[in-house]
Amino acid sequence: MTILGIETSCDETAAALVENGHTLISQSVASSLEQHKITGGIVPEVAARAQIEYITPVLHATLENIKLSAVTKKALPEKTHLPVIANIDAIAVTVGPGLIGSLLVGVETAKSLAYAWNKPLIPINHMLGHIYGAWLTYGEDMDRIWPKLALLVSGGHTELILLKSHTDMQKIGQTLDDAAGEAFDKVAKLLGLEYPGGPSLSKLAEIGDPLAISFPLPMNQKSDINFSFSGLKTAVLHYVRQHPSANKADIAASFQHTVITSLVNKTKHAAQQYGAKEIILGGGVAANKLLRQQLSHSLLPIPVRIPALEFTTDNGAVIAAAAHYHNHPVQPFDIQVSPNLPLGRPV
Ligand code: KG4
Ligand code: ZN
């Protein structure tokens, strides 16, 4: 089964063709990131306008398996022709959570294509998509071991999901305030680093001492598997104010060390409590090198499935992969965006 996945929930415009839930045939991603660097954060109106500009070139590049120019977002000269449209079995699209203006662009596009091509239309939860980066990376082998525990860490969410099967999933922990990616973005901003904060802060942290400053470890009670990052962000703010000439790399490294220790400790505790036999990492923060290393190392002997980098930040492939296992089509004219959609609610 070949599914065309479309993802436009935030500042990435992405599409991909995926076969059988794990084999990537082609994909294309454009981002309005450069525009958000100017404002130091995402302006929803700007992100939505960029979605409108990029969606057609991204679809064109995906369907023809050609590269997209980073500068003009136009598809570059053709390489290979892909399966004809007749061979696409369904269209999947992110319906939430995300920014309403951005979501609408993908949903309206998918709706029009499903109607015009007479294909089933599958609505997908963005966070569910983040789980399936592991299937694209490890293939069918992912279907062997259950229950699994997914640590989903993105700009808007930090969640622990227990999966007993593809369809039996339960949220067992989440952030009570800021998401991990949001904390990276906010602390990076107060250190004067460029948006998005995750990549810029973790780069600076490479030359800092992670043990230079001892920030309080959030929600450190062993029995609690929820997260909190807002107090840590405030602690960094106070530290920066009280030590204006402190080494920024040390602050970045100490902050990153604290966030990752919290993520890893909670995941380890939840895995023990719920008897998870495999761990999945997903979401934009899953691109963080230290998190990838520490999680794999600390959870031993439980295997940790780390997604390939291209499947961490937002992309259409994970949406198409999720749709393979959550194939519940709706009538094109019935599909709706759901900006606050929680994981687990039917869409
Ligand atoms: O999943 P994603 O692309 O978008 C959302 O669904 O939110 O995640 C974006 C988040 C941003 O907060 C970004 O700063 C963070 O992922 N991020 C990172 C890294 N790369 C991206 N955080 C820490 N370290 C990284 N290397
Ligand atoms: Zn995401």
Side-chain angles (χ1 to χ4, degrees), residues 7 9-12 33 42 97-98 126-127 130 153-157 179-186 188 194-203 255-256 259-260 282-292 309 311-315:
E7 154 63 42
S9 66
C10 191
D11 57 338
E12 268 84 32
L33 194 87
I42 293 178
H126 178 79
M127 296 311 290
H130 276 309
V153 272
S154 73
H157 295 80
E182 187 181 358
F184 268 93
D185 293 338
K186 287 179 176 169
E194 88 176 352
Y195 179 86
S200 53
L201 190 145
S202 56
K203 183 145 195 356
F255 162 78
Q256 177 176 252
V259 172
I260 287 167
V285 184
N288 186 283
K289 226 191 277 177
L290 196 68
L291 175 60
R292 295 163 79 89
L309 276 179
F311 305 127
T312 56
T313 41
D314 294 348
N315 64 88

XYZ file of all heavy atoms in Angstrom, residues 7 9-12 33 42 97-98 126-127 130 153-157 179-186 188 194-203 255-256 259-260 282-292 309 311-315, ligand 1:
440
model
N 2.158 17.071 5.561
C 2.334 17.624 6.913
C 2.561 19.138 6.809
O 3.515 19.578 6.165
C 3.547 16.927 7.567
C 4.282 17.711 8.636
C 3.455 18.032 9.874
O 2.711 17.168 10.345
O 3.551 19.184 10.359
N 1.747 21.287 9.872
C 1.183 21.745 11.150
C 1.848 22.991 11.715
O 1.268 23.674 12.548
C 1.238 20.624 12.184
O 2.573 20.317 12.491
N 3.074 23.286 11.277
C 3.767 24.429 11.892
C 4.560 25.189 10.821
O 3.977 25.831 9.960
C 4.628 23.906 13.032
S 5.292 25.204 14.068
N 5.886 25.091 10.848
C 6.676 25.864 9.890
C 7.334 25.003 8.818
O 8.061 25.518 7.979
C 7.726 26.724 10.612
C 8.656 25.923 11.482
O 8.282 24.797 11.872
O 9.746 26.411 11.795
N 7.098 23.675 8.843
C 7.577 22.833 7.747
C 6.400 22.521 6.821
O 5.294 22.253 7.290
C 8.153 21.502 8.245
C 9.644 21.534 8.514
C 9.970 22.061 9.882
O 9.156 21.831 10.793
O 11.017 22.720 10.034
N 11.665 28.500 8.310
C 12.586 28.769 9.419
C 13.345 30.091 9.291
O 13.438 30.855 10.246
C 13.584 27.618 9.416
C 14.451 27.450 10.625
C 13.683 26.584 11.605
C 15.733 26.734 10.239
N 8.187 31.828 15.929
C 7.213 31.667 14.837
C 6.071 32.669 14.954
O 5.440 32.782 15.998
C 6.655 30.238 14.830
C 7.785 29.263 14.457
C 5.491 30.098 13.852
C 7.409 27.823 14.457
N -2.250 18.177 16.447
C -2.278 19.569 16.886
C -1.338 20.426 16.065
O -0.428 19.904 15.420
C -1.799 19.471 18.345
C -0.937 18.248 18.384
C -1.506 17.304 17.363
N -1.549 21.740 16.104
C -0.675 22.646 15.366
C -1.321 24.011 15.219
O -2.354 24.299 15.835
N -0.621 14.653 14.523
C 0.799 14.961 14.337
C 1.709 14.187 15.309
O 2.763 13.683 14.914
C 0.994 16.473 14.534
C 2.400 16.929 14.410
N 3.021 17.107 13.196
C 3.322 17.244 15.343
C 4.257 17.508 13.396
N 4.476 17.601 14.695
N 1.295 14.082 16.573
C 2.138 13.399 17.563
C 2.180 11.894 17.309
O 3.186 11.236 17.573
C 1.663 13.701 18.997
C 1.777 15.158 19.396
S 3.405 15.899 19.032
C 4.449 15.067 20.221
N 4.909 11.325 14.925
C 6.261 11.317 15.497
C 6.668 9.927 16.011
O 7.842 9.598 16.044
C 6.398 12.361 16.604
C 6.710 13.740 16.073
N 7.742 13.965 15.189
C 6.147 14.949 16.309
C 7.790 15.261 14.900
N 6.832 15.884 15.563
N 9.203 14.180 22.086
C 9.712 15.478 22.534
C 9.770 16.442 21.346
O 10.587 16.292 20.448
C 11.123 15.339 23.167
C 11.026 15.044 24.642
C 11.957 14.255 22.491
N 8.877 17.431 21.368
C 8.848 18.366 20.245
C 8.791 19.785 20.777
O 8.967 20.019 21.975
C 7.639 18.060 19.362
O 6.465 18.472 20.018
N 8.492 20.728 19.871
C 8.411 22.127 20.294
C 7.162 22.405 21.110
O 7.129 23.322 21.918
N 6.125 21.607 20.920
C 4.861 21.860 21.611
C 4.490 20.789 22.621
O 3.590 20.993 23.431
N 5.156 19.630 22.591
C 4.744 18.509 23.434
C 5.934 17.772 24.043
O 6.997 17.706 23.426
C 3.934 17.486 22.618
C 2.644 18.048 22.129
N 2.576 18.852 21.018
C 1.384 17.961 22.607
C 1.322 19.233 20.835
N 0.580 18.710 21.787
N 7.063 22.537 26.949
C 7.603 21.339 26.305
C 9.130 21.446 26.285
O 9.688 22.544 26.420
C 7.075 21.238 24.882
N 9.804 20.306 26.107
C 11.271 20.301 26.119
C 11.829 21.218 25.019
O 12.730 22.033 25.270
C 11.785 18.881 25.943
N 11.270 21.106 23.802
C 11.760 21.940 22.690
C 11.527 23.418 22.955
O 12.380 24.265 22.649
N 10.387 23.701 23.572
C 10.050 25.091 23.912
C 11.070 25.643 24.915
O 11.502 26.793 24.809
C 8.644 25.059 24.527
C 8.003 26.369 24.801
C 6.609 26.139 25.446
O 6.176 24.976 25.619
O 5.977 27.155 25.775
N 11.474 24.802 25.886
C 12.470 25.226 26.877
C 13.801 25.520 26.182
O 14.460 26.537 26.465
C 12.639 24.149 27.949
N 14.198 24.654 25.249
C 15.427 24.904 24.477
C 15.303 26.246 23.745
O 16.230 27.055 23.749
C 15.658 23.788 23.450
C 16.512 22.652 23.945
C 15.933 21.523 24.511
C 17.897 22.705 23.855
C 16.718 20.465 24.967
C 18.696 21.659 24.302
C 18.097 20.527 24.868
N 14.146 26.462 23.104
C 13.960 27.691 22.317
C 14.011 28.931 23.205
O 14.640 29.933 22.867
C 12.616 27.639 21.560
C 12.603 26.556 20.486
O 13.690 26.142 20.041
O 11.510 26.117 20.089
N 13.358 28.865 24.382
C 13.308 30.041 25.264
C 14.669 30.337 25.896
O 15.089 31.487 25.985
C 12.251 29.828 26.350
C 10.822 29.930 25.812
C 9.809 29.680 26.898
C 8.388 29.883 26.375
N 7.375 29.397 27.329
N 17.573 29.456 24.707
C 18.466 29.926 23.638
C 18.240 31.415 23.403
O 19.192 32.190 23.234
C 18.212 29.139 22.359
N 20.295 32.105 18.041
C 19.272 32.242 16.999
C 18.205 31.143 17.091
O 18.431 30.061 17.643
C 19.916 32.319 15.616
C 20.164 31.039 14.920
C 20.716 31.246 13.500
O 20.774 32.386 12.975
O 21.097 30.232 12.917
N 17.009 31.470 16.553
C 15.902 30.526 16.495
C 16.135 29.532 15.356
O 16.651 29.941 14.319
C 14.583 31.293 16.275
C 13.403 30.390 16.187
C 12.752 29.986 17.337
C 12.988 29.895 14.960
C 11.681 29.105 17.262
C 11.924 29.011 14.887
C 11.290 28.621 16.032
O 10.252 27.744 15.956
N 15.790 28.257 15.451
C 15.254 27.585 16.630
C 16.350 27.254 17.634
O 17.485 26.928 17.257
C 14.643 26.315 16.049
C 15.432 26.037 14.815
C 15.902 27.360 14.293
N 15.989 27.350 18.903
C 16.985 27.268 19.961
C 17.620 25.908 20.136
O 18.778 25.823 20.568
N 16.892 24.834 19.809
C 17.437 23.491 20.048
C 18.785 23.284 19.371
O 19.801 23.037 20.037
N 18.825 23.419 18.035
C 20.104 23.198 17.345
C 21.182 24.205 17.757
O 22.342 23.824 17.959
C 19.745 23.370 15.868
C 18.271 23.165 15.794
C 17.707 23.569 17.114
N 20.822 25.495 17.912
C 21.870 26.487 18.218
C 22.390 26.301 19.646
O 23.595 26.396 19.894
C 21.384 27.917 17.974
O 20.186 28.161 18.652
N 21.497 25.998 20.595
C 21.951 25.808 21.980
C 22.797 24.540 22.114
O 23.846 24.545 22.764
C 20.741 25.762 22.918
C 21.068 25.797 24.408
C 19.994 26.576 25.174
C 21.220 24.423 25.031
N 22.365 23.462 21.457
C 23.134 22.220 21.620
C 24.504 22.330 20.950
O 25.476 21.722 21.400
C 22.354 21.007 21.130
O 21.963 21.171 19.809
N 24.594 23.163 19.905
C 25.903 23.372 19.266
C 26.844 24.106 20.222
O 27.995 23.704 20.411
C 25.705 24.175 17.971
C 26.951 24.408 17.183
C 26.674 24.385 15.691
C 27.876 24.260 14.796
N 29.160 24.252 15.366
N 22.355 23.556 31.197
C 20.900 23.499 30.963
C 20.552 22.219 30.188
O 19.659 21.459 30.577
C 20.453 24.746 30.181
C 19.112 24.592 29.522
C 17.935 24.712 30.257
C 19.021 24.298 28.162
C 16.688 24.538 29.651
C 17.780 24.125 27.552
C 16.623 24.246 28.298
N 21.275 21.989 29.092
C 20.994 20.810 28.259
C 21.142 19.527 29.078
O 20.304 18.617 29.002
C 21.942 20.792 27.063
C 21.764 19.562 26.197
C 22.636 19.585 24.950
O 22.158 19.761 23.859
N 23.933 19.392 25.132
N 18.011 19.107 31.303
C 16.819 18.687 30.554
C 16.933 17.207 30.183
O 15.994 16.422 30.372
C 16.639 19.526 29.261
C 15.520 18.958 28.388
C 16.347 20.974 29.592
N 18.104 16.831 29.686
C 18.260 15.461 29.200
C 18.254 14.462 30.354
O 17.663 13.382 30.249
C 19.497 15.371 28.292
C 19.095 16.070 26.993
C 19.920 13.935 28.022
C 20.166 16.381 26.063
N 10.972 10.111 19.608
C 10.392 10.814 18.456
C 10.204 12.292 18.721
O 10.200 12.735 19.875
N 10.072 13.081 17.635
C 9.859 14.531 17.754
C 11.135 15.305 17.465
O 12.224 14.722 17.405
N 10.992 16.613 17.276
C 12.120 17.458 16.881
C 13.322 17.379 17.812
O 14.478 17.369 17.356
N 13.078 17.287 19.128
C 14.195 17.252 20.092
C 14.955 15.919 19.990
O 16.088 15.797 20.464
C 13.677 17.525 21.532
C 14.818 17.588 22.537
C 12.881 18.824 21.584
N 14.349 14.935 19.335
C 15.032 13.651 19.111
C 16.260 13.827 18.213
O 17.068 12.909 18.074
C 14.078 12.637 18.503
N 16.404 15.012 17.612
C 17.608 15.293 16.812
C 18.799 15.590 17.735
O 19.949 15.599 17.280
C 17.359 16.493 15.890
N 18.533 15.812 19.011
C 19.615 16.193 19.941
C 20.581 15.012 20.173
O 20.180 13.946 20.643
C 18.997 16.643 21.267
C 20.038 17.178 22.225
O 20.773 16.425 22.838
N 20.108 18.493 22.315
N 21.856 15.280 19.852
C 22.877 14.233 19.883
C 23.021 13.614 21.275
O 23.070 12.395 21.440
C 24.215 14.873 19.476
C 25.000 14.057 18.468
C 26.412 14.579 18.297
C 26.515 15.741 17.344
N 27.884 16.293 17.225
N 23.060 14.491 22.284
C 23.266 14.010 23.649
C 22.079 13.159 24.115
O 22.258 12.115 24.745
C 23.457 15.210 24.585
C 24.047 14.884 25.942
C 25.494 14.444 25.828
C 23.954 16.107 26.871
N 20.872 13.600 23.776
C 19.680 12.828 24.159
C 19.726 11.453 23.502
O 19.439 10.434 24.137
C 18.400 13.578 23.756
C 17.088 12.833 23.993
C 16.883 12.486 25.469
C 15.892 13.652 23.491
N 20.103 11.412 22.240
C 20.172 10.139 21.513
C 21.164 9.190 22.191
O 20.871 8.017 22.413
C 20.580 10.388 20.048
C 19.531 11.184 19.284
C 20.077 11.776 17.994
N 20.172 10.836 16.900
C 19.206 10.585 16.021
N 18.066 11.228 16.119
N 19.381 9.730 15.048
N 17.785 10.970 11.505
C 17.605 12.422 11.684
C 16.504 13.001 10.802
O 15.746 13.861 11.227
C 18.922 13.143 11.393
C 19.902 13.195 12.566
C 21.177 13.918 12.141
C 19.284 13.861 13.788
N 13.791 11.871 10.061
C 12.440 11.584 10.551
C 12.200 12.137 11.956
O 11.254 11.744 12.637
C 12.170 10.072 10.520
C 12.377 9.446 9.173
C 13.207 8.342 9.015
C 11.765 9.988 8.049
C 13.407 7.770 7.772
C 11.960 9.428 6.794
C 12.786 8.317 6.650
N 13.082 13.021 12.429
C 12.862 13.605 13.756
C 12.015 14.870 13.640
O 10.902 14.924 14.137
C 14.190 13.904 14.476
O 14.989 14.749 13.661
C 14.944 12.633 14.797
N 12.547 15.891 12.953
C 11.747 17.113 12.802
C 10.609 16.840 11.803
O 10.577 15.813 11.143
C 12.621 18.311 12.353
O 13.535 17.857 11.388
C 13.379 18.906 13.519
N 9.678 17.788 11.712
C 8.429 17.527 10.995
C 8.651 17.129 9.527
O 9.446 17.740 8.822
C 7.533 18.762 11.076
C 7.093 19.008 12.506
O 7.295 18.114 13.347
O 6.550 20.090 12.774
N 7.929 16.099 9.097
C 8.056 15.590 7.725
C 6.795 14.822 7.350
O 6.010 14.434 8.220
C 9.309 14.690 7.630
C 9.182 13.459 8.496
O 8.662 12.439 8.045
N 9.622 13.531 9.743
O 8.754 18.182 16.054
P 9.232 19.541 15.667
O 9.962 19.706 14.368
O 8.023 20.545 15.642
C 6.978 20.439 16.549
O 6.134 19.532 16.370
O 7.026 21.219 17.532
O 10.129 20.067 16.871
C 10.714 21.329 16.860
C 11.464 21.517 18.171
C 11.969 22.958 18.373
O 11.617 23.375 19.672
C 13.480 22.802 18.225
O 14.221 23.742 18.985
C 13.698 21.396 18.732
O 12.620 20.658 18.192
N 14.980 20.821 18.268
C 15.988 20.489 19.107
C 17.065 20.070 18.283
N 16.656 20.144 16.979
C 15.368 20.604 16.986
N 16.078 20.528 20.452
C 17.240 20.150 21.006
N 18.320 19.760 20.290
C 18.278 19.690 18.949
N 19.353 19.291 18.257
